[in-house]
């Protein structure tokens, strides 16, 4: 099997996936209380549909976004709304949230599966919207919008992102192994919505069991749907799973600077999102549960957990037996994730994992001056000059960095990873982008 890849830069960080890649997805018992933020998608915050002391059912819509980009939010438990107030949020510091006390007597909601083939594309798209589905691999862009490209876009290929190139994270790997049929059916639903035939599932070659499982299931698929779906191995190289690199690896099409995948006829969906699309369309189940990896050498029991949106990180830590020698908590992967300072934040729709890192996994040393080795330029998959950007920012000239293509930086962290002077090049890149925007 050939391993497709992208042409420029990239790195090979230690994978650390051995901590959790062999652990089957485990369902965590629902907590006594959930804290459901009104912002956990790209776009406007949702407005509550419920009031204090109101009873709510598992899966019931509790907040909506009207007349703006956003996604509906559903209750993840059956219970009573305790209050609606500002609470800590993993990315926004604080955000209004609906706090629900779970009814311990309530039975879990059961969903029947129906044949999505009998449902029209318009109705399937409406189910994706009503189910509050958002991109689970990143910023939470509403999926119903992504699946409605402008008529001028000539989409011919759906790519499912099974690269999962961030170290430690194993959620998509486990979903491809344990939810293989749902991934394939979800892909078919998306193809039907888009009105196209071709789907490529891109998977890094460090997940041969997932490639085999999908290839076998596709070969044995007895439902004779008129789609061309294949699983394709890709070289193990970070950031293989970022959209532009993934699209180039699998189609040799280059998304132009400032462009979007649909400019080259492609729509990309993450594996977790595809499973959620299946559940919304074939089961009428909204997105209020998710699978996430909890790993790192400071958590007593690493796991791939299926848990309720709104579960507090403290409840997860208690469930996994606590921590030892904990130095740093990171939401997401170590390359593109962000540090969390407390455990009172909830799991949101877009939490792909949380890492609990000990002293052997963190480097808190000071950074030094640039020694002009050029390694950051070799590592950058966008062909940028991170060292120049950093020097400009330090000289308070960040607004002049567009000549280095700073707006194409997607903060993958390759440059900072290889820098021998430990310079915080991603932070410099962020500051440069802020300066460029400020100066128009
Ligand atoms: S963070 Fe930006 S500048 Fe650094 S390697 Fe990634 S794309 Fe290039
Ligand atoms: S890798 Fe670090 S030290 Fe080397 S050129 Fe880039 S910023 Fe300078």
């Amino acid at each position: 099997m050939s391993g497709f890849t992208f042409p420029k830069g990239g790195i090979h960080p230690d994978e650390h996936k051995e901590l959790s890649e062999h652990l089957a997805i485990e369902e965590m018992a629902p907590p006594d209380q959930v804290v459901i933020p009104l912002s956990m998608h790209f776009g406007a915050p949702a407005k509550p549909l419920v009031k204090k002391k109101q009873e709510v059912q598992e899966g019931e819509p509790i907040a909506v976004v009207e007349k703006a980009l956003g996604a509906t939010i559903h209750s993840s438990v059956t219970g009573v709304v305790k209050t609606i107030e500002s609470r800590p949020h993993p990315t926004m510091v604080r955000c209004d949230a609906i706090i629900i006390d779970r009814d311990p007597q309530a039975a879990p909601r059961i969903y029947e599966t129906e044949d999505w083939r009998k449902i029209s594309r318009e109705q399937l798209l409406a189910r994706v919207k009503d189910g509050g589905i958002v991109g689970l691999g990143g910023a939470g862009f509403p999926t119903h919008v992504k699946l409605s490209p402008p008529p001028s876009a000539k989409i011919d290929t759906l790519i499912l992102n099974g690269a999962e190139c961030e170290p430690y994270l194993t959620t998509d790997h486990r979903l491809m192994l344990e939810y293989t049929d749902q991934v394939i059916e979800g892909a078919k639903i998306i193809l039907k919505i888009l009105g196209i035939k071709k789907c490529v599932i891109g998977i890094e070659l460090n997940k041969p069991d997932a490639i085999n499982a999908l290839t076998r299931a596709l070969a044995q698929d007895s439902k004779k749907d008129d789609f061309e779906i294949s699983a394709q191995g890709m070289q193990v190289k970070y950031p293989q799973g970022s959209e532009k690199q993934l699209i180039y690896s699998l189609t040799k099409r280059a998304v132009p600077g400032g462009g979007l995948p649909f400019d080259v006829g492609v729509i990309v969906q993450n594996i977790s999102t595809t499973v959620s699309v299946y559940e919304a369309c074939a089961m009428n189940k909204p997105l209020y549960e998710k699978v996430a990896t909890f790993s790192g050498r400071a958590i007593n029991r690493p796991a791939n957990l299926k848990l309720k949106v709104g579960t507090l990180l403290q409840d997860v830590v208690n469930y996994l037996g606590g921590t030892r020698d904990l130095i740093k908590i990171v939401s997401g992967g170590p390359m593109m994730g962000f540090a969390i300072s407390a455990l009172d934040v909830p799991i949101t729709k877009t939490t792909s994992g949380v890492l609990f890192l000990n002293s052997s996994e963190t480097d808190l040393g000071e950074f030094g001056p640039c020694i002009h080795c050029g390694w950051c330029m070799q590592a950058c998959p966008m062909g940028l000059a991170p060292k120049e950007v950093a020097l400009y920012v330090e000289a308070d000239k960040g607004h002049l960095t567009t000549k280095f293509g700073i707006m194409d930086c997607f903060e993958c962290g390759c440059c900072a990873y290889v820098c021998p002077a430990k310079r915080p090049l991603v932070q410099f890149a962020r500051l440069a982008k802020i300066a460029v925007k400020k100066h128009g």
Side-chain angles (χ1 to χ4, degrees):
M1 184 179 293
S2 65
F4 291 10
T5 193
F6 54 94
K8 280 187 210 156
I11 56 170
H12 296 91
D14 289 342
E15 294 181 19
H16 300 285
K17 292 186 188 270
E18 69 282 1
L19 293 173
S20 59
E21 66 189 337
H22 300 299
L23 301 173
I25 295 167
E26 170 185 341
E27 194 151 346
M28 179 181 162
D32 295 338
Q33 187 181 80
V34 288
V35 176
I36 303 182
L38 295 173
S39 271
M40 45 180 168
H41 50 253
F42 186 92
K47 291 213 166 63
L49 295 170
V50 292
K51 293 194 177 74
K52 197 171 162 177
K53 295 190 180 165
Q54 185 172 331
E55 288 185 9
V56 291
Q57 301 295 312
E58 176 182 339
E60 177 183 334
I62 53 171
V64 289
V65 180
E66 284 168 355
K67 297 181 192 153
L69 187 62
T72 301
I73 292 171
H74 302 78
S75 178
S76 57
V77 294
T78 295
V80 176
V81 175
K82 185 178 181 208
T83 188
I84 301 173
E85 64 183 24
S86 173
R87 285 291 183 100
H89 186 281
T91 55
M92 301 172 63
V93 185
R94 293 189 78 83
C95 166
D96 282 348
I98 300 175
I99 293 106
I100 302 170
D101 288 329
R102 182 174 66 87
D103 174 359
Q105 309 301 328
R109 185 162 169 187
I110 306 291
Y111 292 90
E112 304 284 335
T113 304
E114 58 184 307
D115 187 359
W116 57 266
R117 291 166 184 78
K118 295 180 179 153
I119 305 171
S120 71
R121 323 167 32 173
E122 293 73 21
Q123 285 172 314
L124 290 172
L125 191 59
R127 286 190 182 195
V128 171
K129 181 171 190 251
D130 295 343
I133 311 301
V134 299
L136 301 180
F141 193 82
T143 302
H144 67 279
V145 179
K146 197 170 185 180
L147 296 184
S148 312
S152 58
K154 302 290 174 231
I155 308 296
D156 61 16
T157 305
L158 167 67
I159 290 179
L160 293 197
N161 185 358
E164 203 163 50
C165 59
E166 274 271 11
Y168 291 94
L169 302 184
T170 53
T171 300
D172 289 344
H173 186 177
R174 294 309 312 179
L175 285 171
M176 289 187 281
L177 287 176
E178 299 178 49
Y179 286 63
T180 315
D181 292 344
Q182 290 91 329
V183 170
I184 294 172
E185 291 293 291
K188 291 180 182 178
I189 291 169
I190 297 172
L191 288 171
K192 178 168 176 177
I193 290 173
L194 292 171
I196 61 172
K197 305 273 181 219
K198 186 176 174 190
C199 169
V200 184
I201 309 172
I203 307 166
E204 278 195 341
L205 288 168
N206 58 0
K207 298 179 256 302
D209 49 355
I211 298 173
N212 289 340
L214 280 160
T215 305
R216 201 168 42 241
L218 287 164
Q220 293 170 353
D221 188 0
S222 57
K223 300 174 205 80
K224 297 292 172 216
D225 296 306
D226 188 20
F227 297 117
E228 301 158 31
I229 306 176
S230 60
Q232 176 65 57
M234 301 185 295
Q235 273 185 32
V236 181
K237 184 166 75 163
Y238 179 86
Q240 193 68 261
S242 70
E243 272 191 346
K244 287 183 179 175
Q245 281 63 34
L246 181 72
I247 291 169
Y248 188 87
S249 294
L250 295 172
T251 67
K252 299 293 172 276
R253 299 178 193 173
V255 179
L260 290 167
F262 66 63
D263 293 327
V264 293
V266 175
I267 296 271
V268 179
Q269 288 292 346
N270 159 282
I271 292 291
S272 305
T273 314
T274 305
V275 173
S276 295
V277 166
Y278 168 80
E279 291 181 344
C281 292
M283 300 166 67
N284 240 322
K285 180 180 177 185
L287 173 55
Y288 62 83
E289 288 178 331
K290 71 161 306 153
V291 179
T293 301
F294 298 89
S295 189
R297 287 173 175 78
I299 188 85
N300 274 324
R301 188 167 73 81
N304 297 299
L305 293 183
K306 183 175 186 185
L307 71 179
K308 305 285 185 189
V309 167
T311 302
L312 290 182
L313 196 49
Q314 181 68 66
D315 289 327
V316 178
V317 169
N318 293 345
Y319 182 75
L320 296 176
T323 60
R324 57 185 190 277
D325 183 23
L326 177 63
I327 299 289
K328 189 175 182 186
I329 306 172
V330 175
S331 179
M335 299 302 300
M336 293 187 75
F338 47 87
I340 294 182
S341 56
L343 295 174
D344 55 358
V345 294
I347 302 302
T348 71
K349 290 183 184 181
T350 57
T351 309
S352 53
V354 181
L355 308 181
F356 300 86
L357 306 177
N358 70 14
S359 48
S360 72
E361 301 169 290
T362 41
D363 184 354
L364 302 175
E366 297 283 304
F367 72 90
C370 176
I371 58 170
H372 304 286
C373 62
W375 291 1
C376 54
M377 295 161 73
Q378 286 168 24
C380 178
M382 299 305 292
L384 309 182
K387 80 183 185 80
E388 300 293 347
V389 171
L391 293 172
Y392 269 61
V393 170
E394 284 181 313
D396 207 16
K397 291 182 180 161
H399 57 291
L400 299 177
T401 55
T402 45
K403 61 185 168 194
F404 302 117
I406 187 61
M407 300 317 279
D408 282 335
C409 168
F410 61 102
E411 301 174 16
C412 66
C414 290
C415 50
Y417 182 83
V418 298
C419 177
K422 302 187 191 310
R423 289 172 65 73
L425 297 172
V426 180
Q427 280 88 325
F428 282 128
R430 280 188 196 131
L431 290 172
K433 285 195 266 185
I434 291 168
V436 168
K437 282 182 190 155
K438 212 164 131 189
H439 283 73

